[in-house]
Amino acid sequence: MKLTQKQAAELRREKSELEQKRLALKEKVKNHRSASTEELADTTEQLRTMSERLDEINSDLADAPEDKRGVVHVKAAEITEENYRSSAKYRDAFFRSFINRRVSEDDSTILSMGKRVITDMNGGSVTSGAEYLVPTTTLDVIKSVITKYGQVYAAITKYGFEGNVSIPIGTAGTPTTTDGITSLNFTFTEVNLQQEAIVATIKIKNLLLKNSIAALETYLATEMGKYLGTYLDNAVLNGDSGTFTGILPSIVAAPSAKKTYSDMDWGQLMDIEAEVDSPYGDDGVFVMRRKTFFNRFRKMTDAAGAPITTTIPVITGNGKTKFYLDGHEVIFTTAMELDDILFGDLAQYVVNESQEITIESSGVGDDVFGKDQTMWRGKVYSGGKPLFPKLTFTYWGYSAT
């Protein structure tokens, strides 16, 4: 009997559903080798029944009319040197090279577009897995997560010079006038910025690599961004044992410029803001723990009895509500001690990121290979220091006396 268009469409839909169920059962058998004999027998019977039904459907569809409804022929977007990093094809090839531990012949052409000229700071040599530029989609997720978990790091000044660099920073002196000509006098200070590799290391069971590339990309990018953002926030504020000089240690270095408060009210807040002169105080932000803000400031009013804090819901970006204290933005971070308050211009902390984020995975010889795991590393080269920290910031801590 010749099928109608509607009958053929129903059979095709049933066929698609059966094929998906059969594939899921096959994966279940493959990935769960500890299943009991009864479970395996039941799964085998289900697969046999599905196969028989698929054979019947294929036979019925042999002479069925071709279904052309809803078919739209769209010319695929051409992949070029300008857009390849944002294409799904490059993204899939990039992660397949990690999963399969090699670059297939089919993927080699598009991956060659993203081959990095300098792959790390070690004399330009190629490190495992970091040979190709990270896809734009992955990079964007990592950066957005770093911004979420590292709001302080997101607010500082970043340069992108290659390698270590010395930057001359000018400080304005008193102008001089001679013969009607006014000269602006600047004193220049060399600021040396060095980098270190900040690495987010994640170990993943190889079973997870069998899932979709899109899911793997999102997971890796999110976890790497969380680690990097948290670390970099703390490095900017507290420094590290490497190339980050922290704002807070610079302020408390002898002679210490850290101040204390015993009671927080409108007058005390004014004293804090007055400590940082223009233009740094004009662009100043408050940095503290979230609990400090709500305990010390959220219910406070000014001399006229009006609330001193305001909120602005953010529609774009991460969608978080922004808090303002006397008109200055407040940034929350766990890198600050409870009841400590930092106020100043975060743009006066400078960082040099000598290259963008790279991703690499463990090779066959690494120790995690025998444990059925793959180690992934997200790496960024960065280092920085504050410019004139005791001038551009003020740092306060609570004291009961």
Side-chain angles (χ1 to χ4, degrees):
M1 180 182 70
K2 188 173 182 180
L3 299 174
T4 64
Q5 193 81 17
K6 181 179 180 180
Q7 290 172 326
E10 290 175 349
L11 284 176
R12 290 190 182 98
R13 183 168 56 250
E14 183 185 356
K15 176 183 177 181
S16 177
E17 292 175 352
L18 284 172
E19 287 175 337
Q20 292 180 21
K21 291 179 180 178
R22 184 171 65 173
L23 180 60
L25 280 175
K26 287 182 176 179
E27 287 294 320
K28 182 179 179 181
V29 172
K30 181 169 60 177
N31 295 327
H32 297 275
R33 293 170 181 165
S34 60
S36 64
T37 304
E38 293 77 9
E39 289 173 332
L40 288 175
D42 181 61
T43 302
T44 302
E45 178 60 24
Q46 291 183 58
L47 288 171
R48 186 189 62 79
T49 303
M50 288 180 184
S51 297
E52 290 178 353
R53 178 54 184 156
L54 285 170
D55 289 341
E56 294 176 3
I57 292 175
N58 288 331
S59 177
D60 292 339
L61 290 174
D63 299 321
E66 183 179 355
D67 185 7
K68 297 183 179 181
R69 294 177 299 171
V71 176
V72 179
H73 297 282
V74 179
K75 184 179 179 180
E78 183 180 357
I79 296 176
T80 66
E81 293 288 345
E82 288 73 32
N83 67 12
Y84 73 91
R85 287 186 74 180
S86 59
S87 70
K89 187 174 181 180
Y90 179 82
R91 187 273 312 273
D92 291 353
F94 179 86
F95 282 99
R96 268 198 300 269
S97 70
F98 287 119
I99 294 171
N100 298 328
R101 300 181 185 273
R102 66 181 182 84
V103 177
S104 69
E105 185 176 345
D106 292 338
D107 290 335
S108 60
T109 300
I110 187 169
L111 275 180
S112 65
M113 293 183 178
K115 193 173 182 65
R116 303 178 66 224
V117 178
I118 299 177
T119 56
D120 66 9
M121 299 295 291
N122 185 22
S125 63
V126 177
T127 57
S128 172
E131 189 173 357
Y132 301 100
L133 294 171
V134 177
T136 300
T137 50
T138 311
L139 206 58
D140 288 346
V141 174
I142 294 176
K143 288 180 178 178
S144 68
V145 178
I146 287 177
T147 299
K148 177 180 178 180
Y149 285 85
Q151 295 184 61
V152 173
Y153 187 77
I156 63 178
T157 299
K158 302 181 186 67
Y159 297 111
F161 297 107
E162 290 186 5
N164 300 333
V165 64
S166 293
I167 302 175
I169 302 296
T171 305
T174 303
T176 58
T177 302
T178 304
D179 297 329
I181 300 176
T182 300
S183 300
L184 302 179
N185 299 314
F186 286 85
T187 301
F188 286 90
T189 303
E190 289 286 329
V191 177
N192 297 314
L193 299 179
Q194 298 180 324
Q195 300 84 47
E196 63 182 346
I198 311 300
V199 182
T201 302
I202 304 167
K203 293 181 181 179
I204 299 179
K205 291 183 178 180
N206 290 336
L207 181 61
L208 283 179
L209 303 184
K210 304 300 182 182
N211 289 284
S212 71
I213 286 177
L216 176 63
E217 176 194 34
T218 301
Y219 172 78
L220 286 173
T222 301
E223 292 303 307
M224 288 176 181
K226 284 164 58 178
Y227 177 94
L228 293 172
T230 302
Y231 180 90
L232 293 169
D233 237 30
N234 186 70
V236 169
L237 289 172
N238 297 300
D240 64 4
S241 58
T243 56
F244 277 89
T245 301
I247 296 172
L248 305 184
S250 299
I251 294 175
V252 301
S256 175
K258 184 177 181 180
K259 299 179 179 295
T260 60
Y261 68 92
S262 56
D263 294 308
M264 183 57 64
D265 55 16
W266 174 252
Q268 178 62 69
L269 179 61
M270 293 302 96
D271 289 342
I272 293 176
E273 292 186 45
E275 283 293 311
V276 185
D277 211 343
S278 296
Y280 311 114
D282 303 333
D283 298 322
V285 299
F286 285 96
V287 181
M288 65 187 76
R289 295 188 69 136
R290 182 181 178 88
K291 188 173 183 179
T292 302
F293 173 77
F294 281 94
N295 283 349
R296 298 286 180 185
F297 298 103
R298 190 61 171 137
K299 298 178 181 179
M300 189 185 298
T301 57
D302 62 18
I308 65 170
T309 63
T310 55
T311 59
I312 298 178
V314 181
I315 305 302
T316 58
N318 56 27
K320 295 197 299 188
T321 297
K322 283 193 174 183
F323 291 91
Y324 290 83
L325 176 56
D326 193 31
H328 296 277
E329 184 179 353
V330 182
I331 293 179
F332 300 138
T333 175
T334 56
M336 292 285 292
E337 293 292 332
L338 187 62
D339 292 327
D340 278 5
I341 300 163
L342 179 70
F343 175 74
D345 186 2
L346 285 175
Q348 301 309 310
Y349 190 101
V350 293
V351 154
N352 188 37
E353 287 186 358
S354 59
Q355 61 174 291
E356 68 177 33
I357 296 168
T358 61
I359 295 177
E360 57 189 33
S361 71
S362 56
V364 173
D366 289 338
D367 62 339
V368 293
F369 183 74
K371 302 175 183 178
D372 200 30
Q373 293 178 331
T374 297
M375 180 186 293
W376 298 76
R377 304 181 186 96
K379 181 188 298 183
V380 59
Y381 282 93
S382 186
K385 60 181 56 178
L387 305 177
F388 323 115
K390 296 181 182 181
L391 178 67
T392 55
F393 294 95
T394 183
Y395 179 33
W396 296 68
Y398 173 74
S399 175
T401 57

